[in-house]
Amino acid sequence: MDDARLRRLSPKVLALLGEPDRLAVVASLMVGNEPPPGAGKNSPEKMVEQLEAGGVLDNGQVTTESLSALLKECLDEVRELIKEEHAPPGAKHLRKLDFRHGHLVHIPSNPAQRDMLLEWLVDSLLVDPSYQESELKVLLRTVHHDHAALRRYLVDGGYMKRDPHSGTYYPRRS
C-alpha cells in the first residue's frame, strides 16, 4: 500500500462507518434492501454518495467480500499508523520490535535487534550510575515481564557489570 493511500484510507472509511445512519445504509445494501429513510439532515442518496466517495460503496453496491477486504486494509493501516505509538517514549527507532502500549511483548531472538534494545535500555532507561537488584527489577519490568532475562542479557552482553560482593549493577556507558 503506498504512503499516500496509507495516510488517508482508514480515517475516511472509519469516519464514514462510524456514523450510525451511514452504517445502516451499508447494512441495508449488503442484505439487498433499499437504504433506510434518512435521519436528520442527510438523505439516503446523500449518504450513498458519501460512502461511494469514501470507497465503501461501488456504484451503490457493497458485498461482504468487498467490505471485508476494505476493513482488513483499514485495520492493517491503523496498525501501521499506531505502531510507533506503542513504543516507549524516546524509542521510536525500536519500531521493528513488538511493543504493545509501551510494553515489550517478546524479547527479540535476533542478536542485532536484541542489542538495539539493550543499548536503548542502558542509554535511555538505566541512567543512574548504579542499581541494586530490586531497583533494576522494577525498572526492567516496565519494559518486559521477564526482567531476569533482560538483566541476564544486559550482563552477558557487557551492557552492565555486576559486583558479586554487593550485588550492585553498573551500566557501562559507551
Side-chain angles (χ1 to χ4, degrees), residues 25 29 35 43-53 57 59-60:
V25 168
L29 290 171
S43 68
E45 294 80 20
K46 180 71 175 169
M47 288 187 276
V48 167
E49 287 175 22
Q50 292 170 335
L51 291 163
E52 284 176 342
L57 301 181
N59 293 323

Side-chain angles (χ1 to χ4, degrees), residues 65-94:
E65 295 80 20
S66 65
L67 187 58
S68 176
L70 181 65
L71 292 175
K72 181 186 180 314
E73 191 174 347
C74 286
L75 277 173
D76 291 344
E77 178 182 325
V78 168
R79 282 187 189 109
E80 283 302 311
L81 290 172
I82 66 170
K83 191 171 188 175
E84 68 184 51
E85 298 302 320
H86 283 276
K92 299 302 182 203
H93 65 286
L94 298 177

